[in-house]
Amino acid sequence: MNLSDIENATRLEVSAEIGKILSRFHTNGPVDANDIETLSLYKQFHPEWVAEYEGKINSLLGLFYKPLQKESLIEEIYSIYSDSIKETHGRTYTPVQAEIVRKISRWRFFSFSAPTSAGKSHLLRTMVQSYQRDIVIVVPSRALIAEYFSEVIKIVGRNVLVLQFIENIYTSHVNRRIYIVTPERAVELFKYKSTLNVGLIIMDEAQISEEPIRGLKFDAFFRRTLKEFPVSKKVFSHPFITNPEAQLSKHDIQIKGEAKAYKHFSVGKIFLMHDDGKFYFFSPFGKEGKVHCREDLLMKTIGSGGAVLIYVSKKSIYDGSFKRKFSSYIGICRDIVDPYAISLIEELREYIGASYSDGEKHSNIIDMMKKGIVVHHGSMPLKARLTIEKFVRHGSARICFATSTLGQGINMPFDIVWVDNFNKMDNLTLKNLIGRAGRSRPNNQGFDFGYTVINKGNVATFSSRLRQEASIKNTSLLDEPLDVLNEDQVDLVDAIRTDSFNDSLHLPEAQVERIRNATIDEEIEFLLNAFFVETELVSADVYNKKARSDKSKIKAALKKIYVQHLRRQVLTKAESSVLSAAIPILLWRVQGKSFSEIVSLRYSYLTGRDEKRRISRAVEQGQLSIEEGEKQLASIGIRHSQVAFPIPDVSGRAVPLFSPQDVPDYDRVVYDSYDYLDKVVSISLADPLCAAFDIYFQKWGDTRARDFSNIIRYGTSDEKEIWMLKYGIDMEDIEWLKEHVGLINETTIEFSNSLLEIPVEKWSVIDRYL
C-alpha cells in the first residue's frame, strides 16, 4: 500500500479497508501496528468518513471505558462483553486488563508485557483497592513513586496505610499497608518480615532488571522475596517486551507461574519525517512513499493549547543548544496567566532558590515555565519534577523538552512526540518513549491517535529499531561466577547466595565485618568531637569558623570511614573527586541546610561569589584601587567540581561540571547538587557511614554516634522529627507542624488542638492521619 493511495482513497475504498481491519481485530485482536497506523492515517486524511466507524473501532479495540455506541450487532455484542467484565470484576476493564486480573488471581507468579497505552499501571493501581493483605509495589524512579502514591491514596480507605518507604507504623489504626518503593528502598522490607502480612509484590517497569547496577539490586531484592515471602503473589509488568517469561526462568520459577506478552494497541500512531523545515508523513511498517504534510502540526498544536514532547540529549539541555534548534516553536509560546500554574512556577522558584529576575541566581527553568515550556530529566530534583508534572497535567505546558527518563512509566501524555536524540537508545527505550504520543481519552467517543516526529537522517534507524522485537535476558548477574563480576558487585551477589545480608545496617554482612574490623575509632571520635558540644550538635556558624586544617581533617576522616566497607581501599581518581565534592554537601545536610541553601552555597563556592564581594567592598572602602580590584576580579575563575555519579563505580569518568571558559549556569548547579544529594549522599554514602557510626555506638555506648547516624540518614537526630519523617511528612512541613504534634510513635500520631489555628489548606499533608 502506498501512502498517497491512502491520502487519495475514495469513500468506498476507505470503507472496504476499514471493514477488513475490523474483521482482523475481531479475529486476532488489535495486535497489528500496521493496521493501527492505517486507521490513524485514514482518520488524518478522511476524518468525516472514519467517524462513521469509530463506535465499532473503539468496541473492537476493547476500550470499554469510553462511551460505547450500540448502532450495530458487533457493538451490541461487545457491549454485552463489557457488561460481563464489569459484573465479574466490579469495575470497567478492557479485555486485556480483565485477563491480567484473572491471571494474577490464578497464578502465584505472573509476568506480562503490554504497550504503554494498555493501561498497565492504572490496572495495578486499581487492583490494590480491594486486596486484603499488605502490598509492595517496586518501581524504577521516585517520580513514579509519587505518581503511584497520589493515585492510590485516592482510592483506598483510611484503614489502609500508603507509604513511599518501608515502615511498620500507625499500627493501631490500619489493618493493611501498601508500600510504593524503588529497588534501593525495597530492601528495608526484610526488617519487618515477621510482622508484615505481604500478599502481593508487584515489580512494575521490570525491564530495569536489564540495567547493569540497578538491575542487580532489582534481581537481588526479588530473589530474597522468594525466600522471605514464599507464599505471596509476585507480578512482573513490562512495556513491549516479547519474552516476559524470562523473569521467571532467570529466577528458576518452574511451578505456579505464567507469562504472556500482550500486543494489543489502543491508541493510533502517525509518523512524520522532518526535512529542512518541512514535514512528510511516512510509514515505518512498509507503506511506500511519503506525503507532504501541508501544515506545521507542532505550530498548530501549540497554538491551539495542545502539548508537544521533544526528546533531546541531556547535553543539549545543559548547554542550551536545544533552545536555538527549536526557537521557532519556543517563540510562539505565550505568557502563562492561569493562577494555579503561576503558583506552581513560584513554588518551584522558591524550592531551587532562584532569583526573581536577572540576578546572579537567574534560572532558565523558571523563565521558560512562564511561557509554558518545561524541561524534564533525571538530574532534576524530585520535587521540581513533580511540580513540572503537575504543570503538564494541568494543561499549562505547551512544550516539554525531556530525556529518555520520562519514558519510565510516568503518565504524561502529549499530542506530538519529536524524537530528536537517538544517542544510546535501544529499541525498547524507543518504543517506550513514542508510547507517550497520544493517549486514549475516556471521555472522547472518537478513535485517539498521536504523532511521532523523526528527523530525516534518523528515519531508517528509527524504522529498523521500531520493527525489531524487544526482549530481556533470561539470566541474572546473581548467577554469574564471582570472578567475572565487577569487584564492587561481589559482596551483594555473595550475600544473596549465602543469605548473609545485614538488614538492620542495610549492607552485606561481609561489608559490615570489614567495618567492624577496621581501625577507624579514632576518626569517628574526632568527628563526634568536631560536631558536638557535649550532646548538642554545633551550629553552622560554629562549624564555619573552624580552621581550614580542621575541616581538611574532617573530610579525610569521612573518606577513610567510607572506604572501609569496600573490597578495595583505593578509589579511582574520578571516584575520589566525587567523594571530595560530596562531603561538603553531606556536612551542609548535617547542619540542617535546605535544598535551596545547599545550591546557593555550592554556587557561591564555584563562582567565588564571596571572594568577589570581598574585593568589591575593598574597592568601595578605598582599600583597593579600581584597577587593582578589576584585575583581582578578572583572576577569579570557575572552581573545578566533579560531575556527580553513584560510587563505587570504577567506570565513572572524571568530568568537570564547568569548563574554565563557561559562564556559570545556576540551573546546572541545581541539577548537580541534587545528583549529589540523591545518588551520592543518600544512595552511596549513607549506608556505609551510618553502619560505621551505629557499630561505634554499639561498641562504646556513645549516643553522639547514634545521633550522627540519624542525621546522615534522616537529616535530623530529633526523635519526634524522625517519627514524623517515617509518617511521610517532609522536613519542610515538619518545621510548621512539629509543635502541633502530640503523641507520636509506631502505633499512632496525634495532634493537639492548636492545629485548628493552622489554615485548613495546609492540612493536606496529614489528612490521612486526621
Side-chain angles (χ1 to χ4, degrees), residues 103 106-111 234 248 253-259:
K103 296 276 190 182
R106 178 181 178 184
W107 298 97
R108 183 176 298 173
F109 301 94
F110 182 51
S111 180
K234 300 173 179 70
L248 305 183
I253 297 170
Q254 300 176 354
I255 59 171
K256 299 181 180 179
E258 173 78 342

Side-chain angles (χ1 to χ4, degrees), residues 58-265:
N58 285 333
S59 293
L60 288 161
L61 288 174
L63 307 182
F64 298 156
Y65 49 81
K66 283 178 173 278
L68 295 183
Q69 303 172 23
K70 301 180 183 179
E71 298 177 355
S72 67
L73 177 60
I74 195 71
E75 289 166 274
E76 182 67 39
I77 292 172
Y78 276 82
S79 178
I80 295 171
Y81 185 13
S82 172
D83 292 341
S84 174
I85 289 175
K86 188 171 184 179
E87 183 177 348
T88 301
H89 297 284
R91 65 174 69 245
T92 300
Y93 284 135
T94 67
V96 168
Q97 290 172 332
E99 182 176 315
I100 291 171
V101 171
R102 290 195 298 271
K103 296 276 190 182
I104 293 174
S105 176
R106 178 181 178 184
W107 298 97
R108 183 176 298 173
F109 301 94
F110 182 51
S111 180
F112 73 97
S113 67
T116 54
S117 58
K120 303 183 301 297
S121 295
H122 169 75
L123 165 67
L124 297 175
R125 293 167 194 165
T126 56
M127 278 188 58
V128 306
Q129 186 173 8
S130 57
Y131 205 80
Q132 296 304 307
R133 296 172 63 189
D134 297 334
I135 299 171
V136 179
I137 305 172
V138 181
V139 297
S141 69
R142 290 203 283 175
L144 193 52
I145 285 178
E147 180 177 316
Y148 255 100
F149 180 85
S150 64
E151 293 299 318
V152 170
I153 202 76
K154 296 174 186 175
I155 61 176
V156 297
R158 291 179 181 270
N159 62 335
V160 181
L161 180 67
V162 186
L163 288 178
Q164 302 176 52
F165 40 82
I166 310 291
E167 288 287 351
N168 189 18
I169 57 171
Y170 211 44
T171 54
S172 64
H173 300 273
V174 298
N175 54 25
R176 66 187 184 96
R177 300 146 196 84
I178 300 173
Y179 300 115
I180 308 166
V181 293
T182 59
E184 289 80 9
R185 291 183 177 184
V187 294
E188 297 193 10
L189 175 69
F190 304 109
K191 291 193 298 186
Y192 303 103
K193 59 189 177 186
S194 61
T195 57
L196 296 178
N197 182 25
V198 177
L200 176 64
I201 298 174
I202 298 172
M203 315 291 282
D204 197 10
E205 301 290 324
Q207 70 277 7
I208 69 165
S209 61
E210 298 296 280
E211 296 182 12
I213 296 176
R214 298 194 74 207
L216 181 62
K217 294 180 179 180
F218 181 92
D219 284 353
F221 167 75
F222 181 78
R223 192 73 62 88
R224 291 192 70 192
T225 67
L226 296 176
K227 178 179 183 298
E228 306 295 356
F229 301 98
V231 299
S232 65
K233 288 182 179 292
K234 300 173 179 70
V235 177
F236 292 97
S237 169
H238 319 73
F240 296 108
I241 67 166
T242 58
N243 64 333
E245 66 278 1
Q247 295 286 10
L248 305 183
S249 60
K250 74 165 58 177
H251 298 293
D252 198 27
I253 297 170
Q254 300 176 354
I255 59 171
K256 299 181 180 179
E258 173 78 342
K260 186 167 182 178
Y262 298 94
K263 299 180 179 179
H264 298 64
F265 294 95

